[in-house]
Amino acid sequence: MKVLVETSARHIHLSVEHIEALFGKGATLTKKKDLSQPGQFACAEKVQLIGPKNTLMVSVLGPARKATQVELSFTDARTLGLKDVPVRESGDIAGTPGIKLVGPAGEVDLDEGVIIAKRHIHMTPEDAEAAGVKDKDIVSLVINSCGRSAILGDVVIRVSASFATAAHIDTDEANATAAFGECYGEIFR
Amino acid sequence: MKVLVETSARHIHLSVEHIEALFGKGATLTKKKDLSQPGQFACAEKVQLIGPKNTLMVSVLGPARKATQVELSFTDARTLGLKDVPVRESGDIAGTPGIKLVGPAGEVDLDEGVIIAKRHIHMTPEDAEAAGVKDKDIVSLVINSCGRSAILGDVVIRVSASFATAAHIDTDEANATAAFGECYGEIFR
């Protein structure tokens, strides 16, 4: 089955508490652009990450979440000077490194929540059934690009009626496979 | 066949003319460390690349070559603000972008020579024969890392008696496959 391959650049999801700490009491997120996943959106707000070595600006993705989570590439983690950032599924942040966040109205010393996102494929129940896969399956994703074709393993399937079917890889993975522009991959078990 | 996988960070090879232009009349390269390929070495000298958007420092690799060549990752090219840097084999620089180089003794406006190196495997004739591959063959390289396993396609075989057998990938590719530390891959046809 062919799936759209989308590249996630570094970004942050914020809790309501941290939105207020960074952007001011009563502040809410300002939608700038809808993302492919229904209900998810890129925000006008940006947050500065203060690493041991460097700082980086990240876009905020909405809506607010229960826990703040920073998603980086290995390149970003190295730029910031953060060591031992693990490859994790979204939401699985126990024991991950923290980082200092700076917004226009304040700062947050995040205790944990910095991850490198495990590559994954969001799927509707219908598409998962058609592809013969189920939630939490580990599959491979075949990307046939010009000059940097690859089969990425360790891709986790995530199935929900609230998803649109799309594979998400990070900027390092997109660069390594030249998955630029409108790119489609194929699920391979 | 198992082969050592080495990561090439961004670097520059310089012609004798450009070594003198950047480091002074009569200057030669100062060996800092031998590399895995016999006769190749990392130098104490560094060169600044001046891109349209940002600058980056790169290490010089010796010995001097016939033509100056800059090897970047897609991440580096984007940081510099260079567009349309092609994925090419080393030495194949016709029609590639140029860039301004700055050294302690002068500058060079390079007309062409900026590439993103095509992933490749240096092989001795003996190892190539044992693996059943020959010079210029295109193969796949299986990397089994923890959490980011992948099969990289479009890997070019380069055979020479002057080589040591080792696969070379760039930093984006190493990050995408978590090929850190001492890493071995397998050739797959």
Side-chain angles (χ1 to χ4, degrees):
Chain A
M1 171 179 283
K2 287 218 179 297
V3 293
L4 180 67
V5 179
E6 296 181 318
T7 303
S8 297
R10 59 177 179 264
H11 62 269
I12 189 168
H13 302 280
L14 291 168
S15 66
V16 169
E17 179 198 349
H18 290 161
I19 292 170
E20 294 202 335
L22 296 167
F23 298 101
K25 189 78 191 148
T28 54
L29 296 174
T30 315
K31 186 192 289 193
K32 203 179 71 178
K33 203 182 88 177
D34 281 315
L35 299 176
S36 70
Q37 294 308 307
Q40 305 293 305
F41 53 90
C43 302
E45 287 79 10
K46 283 180 185 294
V47 170
Q48 193 175 28
L49 308 178
I50 313 293
K53 230 174 92 182
N54 282 294
T55 70
L56 281 175
M57 294 299 288
V58 285
S59 298
V60 178
L61 299 193
R65 291 208 181 174
K66 230 165 38 180
T68 292
Q69 175 174 297
V70 180
E71 297 182 38
L72 303 176
S73 67
F74 274 115
T75 297
D76 299 326
R78 197 164 298 118
T79 299
L80 288 165
L82 284 183
K83 282 176 184 163
D84 302 319
V85 181
V87 176
R88 290 276 186 95
E89 283 187 58
S90 183
D92 179 17
I93 59 169
T96 60
I99 196 164
K100 186 181 189 164
L101 313 175
V102 177
E107 303 182 357
V108 169
D109 274 311
L110 195 66
D111 285 334
E112 62 180 18
V114 182
I115 65 168
I116 290 163
K118 194 174 174 75
R119 42 203 183 215
H120 56 276
I121 305 177
H122 295 273
M123 297 191 91
T124 62
E126 296 74 25
D127 284 344
E129 198 184 339
V133 296
K134 57 183 197 307
D135 195 50
K136 298 192 171 53
D137 275 0
I138 302 293
V139 301
S140 291
L141 179 67
V142 181
I143 297 178
N144 282 313
S145 59
C146 184
R148 286 199 155 186
S149 294
I151 302 174
L152 300 178
D154 294 321
V155 184
V156 64
I157 296 286
R158 295 170 55 192
V159 180
S160 165
S162 70
F163 288 160
T165 297
H168 283 179
I169 61 177
D170 74 10
T171 41
D172 287 337
E173 293 165 332
N175 288 334
T177 57
F180 308 135
E182 193 174 309
C183 173
Y184 287 83
E186 202 157 343
I187 296 174
F188 179 76
R189 304 193 64 192
Chain B
M1 171 178 283
K2 288 219 178 294
V3 292
L4 180 67
V5 179
E6 297 182 316
T7 302
S8 297
R10 60 176 177 265
H11 62 268
I12 189 168
H13 302 279
L14 291 169
S15 66
V16 169
E17 179 199 349
H18 290 161
I19 292 170
E20 294 203 335
L22 296 166
F23 298 100
K25 188 80 192 146
T28 55
L29 297 174
T30 315
K31 186 192 290 194
K32 203 178 70 178
K33 203 182 88 178
D34 281 315
L35 299 176
S36 71
Q37 294 309 307
Q40 304 294 304
F41 53 90
C43 302
E45 288 79 10
K46 283 180 185 296
V47 170
Q48 193 175 28
L49 308 178
I50 313 293
K53 229 174 92 181
N54 283 293
T55 70
L56 282 176
M57 292 299 287
V58 285
S59 298
V60 177
L61 298 192
R65 290 208 182 175
K66 231 167 36 180
T68 292
Q69 176 173 297
V70 179
E71 296 183 37
L72 304 176
S73 67
F74 273 116
T75 297
D76 298 327
R78 196 164 298 117
T79 299
L80 288 166
L82 285 183
K83 283 176 183 163
D84 302 319
V85 182
V87 175
R88 289 277 185 96
E89 283 187 60
S90 182
D92 179 17
I93 59 169
T96 60
I99 195 164
K100 185 179 189 165
L101 313 176
V102 177
E107 301 181 358
V108 169
D109 274 311
L110 195 65
D111 285 333
E112 63 181 16
V114 181
I115 65 168
I116 290 163
K118 194 175 176 75
R119 43 203 183 215
H120 57 276
I121 306 177
H122 295 273
M123 298 192 90
T124 62
E126 296 73 25
D127 284 345
E129 198 184 340
V133 296
K134 57 184 198 305
D135 195 50
K136 298 193 170 55
D137 274 0
I138 302 293
V139 301
S140 291
L141 179 67
V142 182
I143 297 178
N144 283 312
S145 60
C146 185
R148 286 199 155 185
S149 293
I151 303 174
L152 300 177
D154 294 320
V155 184
V156 64
I157 296 286
R158 294 170 56 192
V159 180
S160 165
S162 70
F163 288 160
T165 297
H168 283 179
I169 61 178
D170 72 11
T171 42
D172 288 336
E173 293 165 331
N175 288 333
T177 58
F180 308 135
E182 193 173 308
C183 174
Y184 287 81
E186 203 157 342
I187 296 174
F188 179 76
R189 304 191 66 192

